[in-house]
Amino acid sequence: MVRLLKYFLISLLVLVLLVAASIGIVLNFIFTPEKLTPIVEKSANQFLNAEVHFDSIELTFFSTFPDFGLEIRNGSVVTKVFQDTSGRENVYAATDSLMSFKRCRLTVNPMAYLSNKEVIVKELRLEEPHIYAYIDTNGVPGWDMVRVSEPDTAVVETDSVREKLAERIDIRNIRIVDGRLVFDDRANELYARLEGLGLKIEGDFMERNANLQLGMKAKNVLFWQEGNLLVKRLQFGLQTGMHLNRDSLLYVLDKAVMQVNGIKFGVGGRLQADTVARLLDVDLTFGIKVPSLKTILELVPETILKPDEDVTVSGEVLCRGTLKGKYGKEQVPVLNARFKINDGAVKYAGMPYALDKLDVDVEGMVDLQKDEPSFLKVNKLYVKGTDVNVDINGRVDYLLTNPRLTAEVKADVDFSVLPKIFPVQEGVTLKGGLNAGLRANVLLADLKNKNYGKLDIRGGCRLHDVLLASEKDSLRLRSKSVILGFGTNMEDKTILQEKNLLNGIFGFDSVDIQWKNALVFHMDTSYVKVKTSPLRDTTAVASMSADIRIGWIDLVMGDSVRFRMGNSKANFALSPSAEDKKLPLVKARVEMDSLRVKARGNRLRLANAGFDLSGVPDKVNKRQWNTNGVIGFKDLRMYTPMFPLRVKMPGTKVTLSPGHIKLNGAKLRLGRSDVLLTGEVYNLGGAFLRQEELKAELKVKSDRIDCNQLMKAMEVGEANRVNMKWGAEDELSEEELSDVNLAADSTYVADSTMSVFVVPPGINFTFETNINKVLYGKLELDSIHGKVVMQNQCIELSDLSMRSMAADVRTTMLYKASSKEKAYTGFDLRMDDIDVGSLIDFMPSLDTIVPMLRSFEGLVDFHMAAETDLDSTMMVDLPTLRAAAYIDGKDLVLMDGETFAEISKMLMFKNKERNLIDSVSVDFRIQNGMIEVFPFLVEVDRYKVAVGGEHKIDMTFNYHISVLKSPVPFKLGVDIYGSLEKMKFKITKAKYKDLFIPSKRAKVDSAQINVKNQIRKMLQSARE
């Protein structure tokens, strides 16, 4: 017996090995992928109206034991449903690619086929398929590609062969893993894309009456209708039983559960297909079986709302809807849904706030075919919480065609509850309330097309009794009321259209802010109103206006800064310009009662200031604006340590027009100096923005200009600027600065090193001066009249006349400096009937040029013309100095001077202390560092002498005196040379023997003409 069992087992093992070897030989040598793939591809292409391709097809047994398997890799199916049948070469479009996949596995039970000729597919598995389900505009689907069998006998033959091959075919399990499905229905203009698609079907799939279990999921669903994206980022899942009747093509859902973004719905109903009419009859009902609101909260994913057992929930929930209708060419089912929550309430244990009442009633209908207008209606949405009430109702009509939104929102919020809800810092107090409301009637197409003139939106909010305080930060903010309101298309009988495009107002009643001791701010009632008018011409600039009122403002920052502004108002308007409706005309009017600013010793006070301006862009250069209007104020006072003099400007008015500014008597008072400016300034904008020439023609009038005070103020201000450390405790106070002595009789001259003043390029100023008095050092200049021109980096004083020290003065001068290194000056100076002493005081250098001048007393006429270069410190460059001058005097008194005291002793004058001179006329010139004094006649005492010679800059001299009349009966000459310390003389022959004295006055006149010609030449080059 044991031996028999042994032989049986050996025989069985041998049989198994033989079978395995046979199967291995068949799989590896007979049905290899290289042989099997072309056969299957050919059969598929014959059976389907498509082009089918596989990279490889392999039969498996050992990996799918005990079943046989068929594994296909990298397959693709391209439909030929839409191909032209004319026989020409196929030309495929993107819509013809029906499906491609990475891997497909089919497992079959071989024993069922061998015993009963039944083909039982245990699993059909597709991995990473990309499916493109396309329906053309005629309603023809791209997947309807099974070839129609030949009629009559061919069918019989085929059926007989089929009966011989298999009695029954059954598919038990279908799997799709990580797929992508695109549904493109051109007949109904629907497009859907499912990403991350998974599908599982279990049951007797091929039975005439089949019971199936269906599971489907998609990680992301997108849905378009007529090019409009309706759904995106939607996660979808479905688990259901399904009864399938193949004869009637009826599909009935059983216990279906649908999941949308983590929320589960129950689904039931039926679907029935009509292959002849190519229609699908849909009758589905969905909803949520909700015993209470708590069930809804449990359906919310944990990632959004963490589960909490200690929560009290009440309320009745209703959620149901239907999807009914036929799906086919130009037919789409209609979706109806309604969601309600009645008397809802939620209270979490340990939380300081609760949802006291929640009432929701939302319904909607979507008809993608647009036979009926789709809508979404919020009948009621009422939320009442801890000191928070919100009430919303509204609807969206014509949801899929031209959506129109009508809605009304009301809300009331008590700010005292916010610290209980949000984690604010300890010690923070928040009080007050908010009342808000909004009404809207809007076409979404108007928003999309930016047609804001057709929107009807009205609303506003009011904050009242607001208090925000923080003990830690010592911060306190309080306001009685803050209001914001707005509305569109509101009635306005004052305009032609009788409606405003937009009205808005923002304002508040008192605001107080205090932060530690560093900031205190107060503002009285203020508001801003904005109004726009609808467009009659869409090509024109929109019209709008703004009205602003600002109450009293008081700002204090520490001990150093204070800002106070009185009641102010402003109006701004924008409209099309009269010349070109596409160009905007901007108007602005501002009025301010008062303004006071105090900061670190600086003070500014302004009273009744404002401006009224209008501007329009230039037609050629749109970036350049042409401005008209008036700027003015009643009184301005200013003080700064940088210039420690009181600055005052009484009522001043400035008129602006395109290209120039007009000053209408702008008066400025600086300490004891005053200036009145009248005239026009041209091209101010071009000079600042485009570096063009700035031109001004001004009349300057002044009663007094105290140069001593102004120069001393500038030096003290510069010292203050250097010594001050802004924000430091040792900052100089205004009281300390007020102690600075700026007396009018000061003889102050700045002791800092002078430097060349470079006239800025690009300016062309002309000043007509009328100044009563100028104080400079010991000089007092009166009645200053003349023209001052600044052009081409030059300053010209043209025929300037004045009265100085009881003498009439006239001068013409030119100053030019293009760099800090050097400058040029030339002048012509006339002084008539001036006292000799005053002349020396006015021009101290004359005592060096004509030493004997100090020995005379009386009135003289003085005329001098000169030109020279100046170095960087404004000192005369002696080698370049050229000058000519003369001094005429009559009835002069000869006093005891250093030089003539010695001469009077030697010549035995009768009066050695004081002698009268009938006349004297001295001509001299300066050239090459030498002063040449031309011979001049002097009659004194018993003598008539002629004097001439040279005087060098090093104070050495060489003079000759010809004695033409004396007690001595002959003519003689005296040479005096050396220096004042070592003066030498000797008796020589008289060089001037006759009474005729050669006059050199023509040289002075010639020099004057040359200076004037030089001035005209330089200014002419500037104009060119």
Side-chain angles (χ1 to χ4, degrees):
M1 188 68 183
V2 174
R3 181 177 295 179
L4 180 62
L5 181 60
K6 178 179 179 182
Y7 288 142
F8 175 76
L9 293 175
I10 293 173
S11 300
L12 182 61
L13 178 61
V14 171
L15 180 62
V16 171
L17 292 175
L18 288 175
V19 172
S22 300
I23 293 173
I25 291 172
V26 171
L27 296 178
N28 292 285
F29 296 100
I30 297 177
F31 295 108
T32 62
E34 291 79 10
K35 296 178 180 179
L36 189 60
T37 302
I39 295 173
V40 176
E41 277 190 357
K42 183 177 180 181
S43 299
N45 285 312
Q46 291 175 351
F47 182 71
L48 300 174
N49 185 21
E51 182 175 314
V52 184
H53 171 74
F54 312 112
D55 280 359
S56 67
I57 301 177
E58 181 180 358
L59 285 173
T60 63
F61 177 73
F62 298 105
S63 61
T64 57
F65 182 82
D67 301 323
F68 276 100
L70 183 68
E71 186 170 298
I72 306 173
R73 293 186 179 274
N74 297 327
S76 64
V77 180
V78 179
T79 183
K80 294 183 179 179
V81 173
F82 309 111
Q83 287 293 309
D84 187 2
T85 58
S86 61
R88 293 178 295 176
E89 183 180 355
N90 291 328
V91 178
Y92 298 108
T95 55
D96 295 332
S97 181
L98 178 63
M99 182 177 65
S100 64
F101 56 85
K102 185 176 182 180
R103 182 184 179 192
C104 176
R105 172 175 284 189
L106 183 72
T107 59
V108 181
N109 185 349
M111 300 306 296
Y113 182 78
L114 294 175
S115 61
N116 301 318
K117 287 190 178 182
E118 293 181 349
V119 178
I120 299 177
V121 179
K122 299 182 69 174
E123 183 182 44
L124 175 59
R125 182 184 181 90
L126 276 173
E127 295 181 1
E128 299 183 22
H130 287 190
I131 304 170
Y132 185 67
Y134 175 75
I135 301 176
D136 71 357
T137 54
N138 297 317
V140 178
W143 60 85
D144 188 9
M145 57 187 179
V146 178
R147 294 184 185 274
V148 180
S149 302
E150 294 295 332
D152 301 332
T153 58
V155 175
V156 176
E157 292 177 359
T158 304
D159 291 341
S160 62
V161 172
R162 183 178 299 169
E163 291 176 1
K164 293 178 182 179
L165 291 175
E167 296 293 340
R168 177 172 173 267
I169 299 176
D170 191 11
I171 301 176
R172 301 287 179 85
N173 194 342
I174 298 176
R175 297 282 192 278
I176 293 179
V177 180
D178 197 16
R180 185 176 186 270
L181 171 63
V182 174
F183 178 73
D184 188 356
D185 184 353
R186 301 291 175 89
N188 296 303
E189 297 188 64
L190 301 178
Y191 181 92
R193 187 170 76 226
L194 284 72
E195 299 173 347
L197 176 65
L199 178 66
K200 180 181 179 181
I201 303 177
E202 294 180 348
D204 299 331
F205 190 75
M206 302 301 293
E207 292 290 340
R208 307 308 297 177
N209 288 285
N211 294 316
L212 305 176
Q213 291 295 322
L214 173 65
M216 186 178 70
K217 65 178 182 180
K219 295 181 179 179
N220 186 21
V221 178
L222 297 97
F223 183 74
W224 285 264
Q225 197 256 345
E226 294 184 353
N228 297 313
L229 180 61
L230 303 180
V231 177
K232 66 176 180 178
R233 297 177 183 174
L234 184 142
Q235 293 183 0
F236 177 80
L238 177 65
Q239 293 288 336
T240 182
M242 180 181 291
H243 301 292
L244 170 60
N245 188 319
R246 291 189 176 278
D247 295 329
S248 62
L249 297 180
L250 178 64
Y251 303 84
V252 180
L253 301 182
D254 181 25
K255 297 179 180 180
V257 177
M258 179 174 62
Q259 185 171 338
V260 178
N261 284 353
I263 300 179
K264 297 179 180 179
F265 295 84
V267 183
R270 57 192 290 278
L271 301 98
Q272 188 168 17
D274 184 349
T275 57
V276 177
R278 292 178 178 172
L279 294 175
L280 179 65
D281 190 9
V282 179
D283 187 358
L284 298 176
T285 302
F286 61 89
I288 304 178
K289 186 178 180 181
V290 184
S292 69
L293 181 59
K294 186 175 182 180
T295 308
I296 291 287
L297 297 179
E298 293 173 351
L299 293 175
V300 179
E302 294 185 9
T303 55
I304 299 175
L305 184 62
K306 184 179 179 181
D308 191 343
E309 297 295 335
D310 297 330
V311 59
T312 302
V313 183
S314 63
E316 179 185 1
V317 180
L318 170 66
C319 178
R320 60 180 59 177
T322 62
L323 182 64
K324 293 184 179 182
K326 297 183 182 298
Y327 182 81
K329 182 180 179 182
E330 298 182 353
Q331 297 188 61
V332 180
V334 176
L335 174 66
N336 282 277
R338 188 164 189 173
F339 179 79
K340 295 182 69 176
I341 299 177
N342 296 324
D343 299 324
V346 180
K347 171 66 176 178
Y348 285 88
M351 298 297 289
Y353 58 93
L355 184 61
D356 298 329
K357 187 175 180 61
L358 174 63
D359 288 332
V360 180
D361 186 0
V362 180
E363 62 178 312
M365 187 271 284
V366 177
D367 182 2
L368 296 178
Q369 200 56 39
K370 304 172 185 174
D371 294 331
E372 295 291 335
S374 302
F375 68 89
L376 175 65
K377 183 179 181 182
V378 181
N379 296 314
K380 187 176 185 181
L381 176 55
Y382 179 73
V383 179
K384 177 176 174 53
T386 307
D387 300 315
V388 176
N389 296 331
V390 179
D391 191 358
I392 302 174
N393 63 78
R395 62 182 296 150
V396 180
D397 293 307
Y398 306 100
L399 191 61
L400 301 180
T401 54
N402 190 16
R404 175 178 288 277
L405 169 66
T406 56
E408 184 174 354
V409 181
K410 296 180 180 179
D412 298 312
V413 179
D414 188 345
F415 289 160
S416 60
V417 73
L418 297 181
K420 301 177 183 179
I421 300 176
F422 300 101
V424 298
Q425 295 290 338
E426 183 178 356
V428 174
T429 302
L430 183 59
K431 296 181 180 180
L434 168 67
N435 307 115
L438 176 67
R439 287 190 302 166
N441 187 355
V442 176
L443 274 175
L444 297 183
D446 292 333
L447 281 175
K448 185 176 180 180
N449 298 328
K450 300 180 180 180
N451 192 4
Y452 303 126
K454 295 184 178 181
L455 303 181
D456 187 1
I457 303 176
R458 305 179 187 186
C461 64
R462 176 176 176 265
L463 300 172
H464 56 86
D465 300 322
V466 177
L467 172 63
L468 172 62
S470 174
E471 295 180 2
K472 180 180 178 180
D473 299 324
S474 299
L475 174 66
R476 188 177 185 88
L477 183 151
R478 181 187 294 274
S479 178
K480 291 182 180 179
S481 178
V482 179
I483 298 176
L484 171 64
F486 61 91
T488 61
N489 292 303
M490 300 181 67
E491 184 176 349
D492 187 352
K493 297 295 184 179
T494 63
I495 61 176
L496 180 63
Q497 297 88 342
E498 296 187 351
K499 277 189 176 182
N500 283 317
L501 176 64
L502 173 65
N503 271 17
I505 182 171
F506 171 75
F508 45 81
D509 180 11
S510 175
V511 173
D512 291 279
I513 301 174
Q514 183 174 357
W515 178 54
K516 299 180 179 180
N517 294 324
L519 184 146
V520 177
F521 175 79
H522 170 80
M523 178 182 287
D524 284 343
T525 302
S526 304
Y527 64 86
V528 178
K529 288 183 179 180
V530 179
K531 181 171 65 176
T532 64
S533 301
L535 294 177
R536 291 179 294 174
D537 185 354
T538 56
T539 63
V541 174
S543 298
M544 64 179 299
S545 62
D547 186 11
I548 302 174
R549 296 293 186 272
I550 300 177
W552 182 269
I553 296 177
D554 196 345
L555 172 64
V556 179
M557 299 179 63
D559 298 329
S560 59
V561 177
R562 180 156 191 175
F563 175 90
R564 302 181 70 183
M565 186 174 74
N567 296 327
S568 305
K569 58 182 180 180
N571 301 95
F572 299 93
L574 175 68
S575 62
S577 65
E579 293 78 9
D580 188 346
K581 62 184 179 181
K582 296 182 180 180
L583 295 178
L585 172 63
V586 179
K587 295 182 178 180
R589 181 182 179 89
V590 175
E591 296 179 11
M592 180 170 51
D593 288 351
S594 62
L595 175 66
R596 293 187 179 186
V597 181
K598 177 182 178 182
R600 297 171 179 172
N602 300 283
R603 293 201 311 270
L604 171 66
R605 188 176 72 180
L606 195 62
N608 295 335
F611 59 81
D612 189 355
L613 302 175
S614 63
V616 63
D618 187 80
K619 292 183 179 180
V620 178
N621 185 2
K622 299 296 191 299
R623 300 180 62 182
Q624 180 178 338
W625 285 69
N626 298 323
T627 305
N628 290 276
V630 177
I631 300 175
F633 51 85
K634 184 177 180 181
D635 184 50
L636 181 147
R637 301 193 178 192
M638 184 176 64
Y639 174 85
T640 173
M642 302 300 97
F643 187 77
L645 289 178
R646 302 300 189 271
V647 179
K648 299 179 182 179
M649 290 188 71
T652 300
K653 183 179 179 182
V654 179
T655 303
L656 282 72
S657 57
H660 72 282
I661 299 173
K662 185 176 181 180
L663 301 177
N664 302 294
K667 190 172 183 179
L668 177 66
R669 187 171 185 85
L670 304 171
R672 297 180 177 88
S673 303
D674 64 88
V675 176
L676 181 66
L677 298 176
T678 303
E680 298 185 0
V681 179
Y682 301 89
N683 198 28
L684 184 63
F688 281 97
L689 300 178
R690 297 178 297 277
Q691 288 75 50
E692 298 175 357
E693 184 183 69
L694 177 63
K695 184 179 179 181
E697 296 179 357
L698 299 172
K699 293 182 179 180
V700 182
K701 184 176 181 180
S702 174
D703 291 333
R704 176 174 181 172
I705 295 180
D706 191 342
C707 296
N708 298 324
Q709 189 184 47
L710 295 176
M711 295 175 67
K712 192 166 186 178
M714 286 189 287
E715 185 193 26
V716 174
E718 177 64 19
N720 292 337
R721 188 190 68 81
V722 174
N723 296 329
M724 277 188 177
K725 298 179 180 179
W726 295 104
E729 295 182 357
D730 57 350
E731 177 183 345
L732 294 176
S733 66
E734 182 183 343
E735 288 74 15
E736 292 173 324
L737 292 171
S738 64
D739 293 337
V740 176
N741 181 21
L742 296 175
D745 57 354
S746 172
T747 58
Y748 165 79
V749 177
D751 58 359
S752 58
T753 303
M754 297 182 65
S755 60
V756 170
F757 169 68
V758 178
V759 180
I763 65 172
N764 182 3
F765 291 173
T766 300
F767 300 97
E768 291 286 348
T769 61
N770 183 5
I771 303 173
N772 290 339
K773 180 177 289 187
V774 174
L775 302 178
Y776 181 78
K778 295 181 179 180
L779 292 179
E780 291 188 11
L781 305 178
D782 301 325
S783 302
I784 301 173
H785 302 277
K787 181 185 292 187
V788 178
V789 178
M790 301 176 65
Q791 184 183 9
N792 196 33
Q793 293 190 287
C794 299
I795 300 177
E796 177 196 4
L797 276 63
S798 179
D799 295 329
L800 193 68
S801 64
M802 67 189 76
R803 181 76 179 171
S804 173
M805 300 176 182
D808 294 327
V809 181
R810 300 186 65 85
T811 182
T812 297
M813 187 186 76
L814 176 70
Y815 172 87
K816 179 177 177 62
S818 301
S819 67
K820 285 284 187 179
E821 284 71 29
K822 60 181 298 185
Y824 166 84
T825 183
F827 64 89
D828 170 34
L829 178 65
R830 293 175 179 268
M831 303 181 73
D832 298 330
D833 296 330
I834 185 171
D835 183 78
V836 174
S838 298
L839 176 62
I840 296 175
D841 290 338
F842 181 81
M843 189 176 293
S845 58
L846 282 179
D847 190 33
T848 303
I849 298 172
V850 188
M852 72 288 295
L853 192 61
R854 188 175 295 274
S855 300
F856 295 102
E857 183 182 70
L859 301 179
V860 297
D861 294 336
F862 175 72
H863 182 195
M864 182 175 186
E867 65 174 356
T868 184
D869 291 340
L870 307 174
D871 62 16
S872 59
T873 61
M874 293 293 286
M875 297 299 292
V876 174
D877 186 5
L878 293 177
T880 65
L881 175 62
R882 292 179 297 170
Y886 67 80
I887 301 174
D888 285 343
K890 295 181 179 180
D891 300 326
L892 300 179
V893 177
L894 183 63
M895 299 181 299
D896 184 20
E898 298 177 0
T899 304
F900 280 88
E902 298 293 332
I903 297 176
S904 63
K905 293 179 183 179
M906 180 182 65
L907 298 181
M908 296 178 292
F909 285 172
K910 294 180 179 179
N911 187 348
K912 297 181 176 61
E913 295 180 358
R914 180 181 179 90
N915 289 282
L916 294 177
I917 299 177
D918 295 335
S919 64
V920 63
S921 178
V922 182
D923 298 76
F924 61 89
R925 69 179 179 182
I926 305 173
Q927 190 174 4
N928 299 324
M930 180 179 294
I931 303 171
E932 180 182 1
V933 180
F934 296 105
F936 61 92
L937 181 65
V938 178
E939 295 186 30
V940 55
D941 203 77
R942 294 179 293 178
Y943 295 87
K944 179 186 293 185
V945 297
V947 183
E950 297 176 348
H951 201 113
K952 297 181 179 180
I953 301 301
D954 61 1
M955 300 308 294
T956 60
F957 50 81
N958 185 5
Y959 287 101
H960 173 77
I961 300 175
S962 294
V963 181
L964 304 179
K965 179 181 177 183
S966 69
V968 181
F970 56 87
K971 298 179 180 179
L972 58 87
V974 179
D975 290 338
I976 303 175
Y977 55 93
S979 63
L980 292 177
E981 292 79 9
K982 297 180 179 181
M983 183 175 60
K984 301 178 181 180
F985 62 90
K986 63 179 179 179
I987 305 299
T988 63
K989 292 181 180 181
K991 295 182 179 180
Y992 313 109
K993 298 180 180 179
D994 301 322
L995 294 178
F996 174 74
I997 304 297
S999 175
K1000 300 295 183 179
R1001 187 165 301 176
K1003 293 182 178 292
V1004 176
D1005 296 335
S1006 176
Q1008 174 185 355
I1009 294 173
N1010 289 338
V1011 170
K1012 290 185 177 181
N1013 290 339
Q1014 182 74 5
I1015 291 172
R1016 298 298 182 269
K1017 183 177 180 181
M1018 296 183 72
L1019 292 177
Q1020 182 64 29
S1021 65
R1023 296 186 183 96
E1024 296 175 355

